[in-house]
Amino acid sequence: MTTLAELLARLNGVDPKMPLVFATADGEVGAGYHVTELRHSISKGIDCGGNVETWKDAKLQLLDGPGSTPMTVGTFTNIVQKSLSALPELRDASLMVEFGHNNEQLAIMSLHGPDISEETVALFLGDARAVCKPAIRSKRGLEDQGRCGESAVTSSQVSSRCGAGFVAQDATACCA
């Protein structure tokens, strides 16, 4: 997952006058978009394996808008840097983007890129997916503290718990 610090590092060295385009699978975000808010939150939750975790999130909210010229890389990085000055805790929190085309059906999306061409710098917004954290830990070879309310499960037990193709699917679902 991307953080604002990682995003700024990727944009470092890019011509600040280059247009910054955001795009989803449904097309580009309107050229008149603007950053409506950067938000930091601390969440505490329990997963399906009974593991309690606390994590930090950062949300970048984009407002779709009419216009003919997208924001420049320099303008965007300036907004982010000013936001980090006011809220330094945004820097290293996992970053997601809130956006909906035509400002409808606001969705939480992942951020990918940038893709730098001669004409634009593009950042791609992808679908955020639910994941089973214990299965991801098992896939990485770590012992879980439990899965789906049961005792510790090793990576060799994951496929029998969540279905034959589960681990190959990058743990995008969990036991039902």
Side-chain angles (χ1 to χ4, degrees):
M1 194 162 301
T2 300
T3 66
L4 282 170
E6 292 168 343
L7 179 58
L8 285 176
R10 289 183 207 149
L11 293 173
N12 187 29
V14 173
D15 182 351
K17 296 177 185 169
M18 292 278 291
L20 181 64
V21 175
F22 286 87
T24 71
D26 294 328
E28 288 186 4
V29 173
Y33 74 86
H34 74 269
V35 175
T36 59
E37 132 179 83
L38 277 161
R39 184 172 55 251
H40 178 265
S41 59
I42 299 173
S43 298
K44 188 172 185 177
I46 186 168
D47 64 29
C48 61
N51 303 300
V52 176
E53 292 182 285
T54 302
W55 64 93
K56 299 174 187 177
D57 289 317
K59 298 274 187 339
L60 167 74
Q61 190 177 82
L62 294 176
L63 182 72
D64 203 1
S68 58
T69 307
M71 184 181 297
T72 65
V73 169
T75 299
F76 178 80
T77 57
N78 191 34
I79 290 168
V80 171
Q81 289 168 340
K82 284 182 180 180
S83 298
L84 291 175
S85 292
L87 293 173
E89 58 271 23
L90 284 167
R91 178 173 301 284
D92 297 313
S94 296
L95 177 64
M96 299 297 279
V97 177
E98 294 179 331
F99 174 74
H101 283 283
N102 300 312
N103 302 311
E104 298 172 359
Q105 299 179 357
L106 187 67
I108 297 173
M109 307 180 102
S110 58
L111 183 68
H112 308 278
D115 182 18
I116 303 168
S117 72
E118 291 182 20
E119 299 162 6
T120 63
V121 176
L123 293 171
F124 299 97
L125 307 179
D127 294 334
R129 300 182 187 269
V131 297
C132 177
K133 290 179 182 179
I136 291 170
R137 285 186 202 102
S138 290
K139 184 177 176 186
R140 291 180 184 151
L142 303 174
E143 286 284 326
D144 280 332
Q145 299 302 311
R147 288 192 24 74
C148 303
E150 298 181 17
S151 60
V153 175
T154 63
S155 58
S156 63
Q157 295 170 307
V158 171
S159 63
S160 66
R161 302 281 175 145
C162 295
F166 181 72
V167 174
Q169 295 173 4
D170 251 353
T172 57
C174 189
C175 330

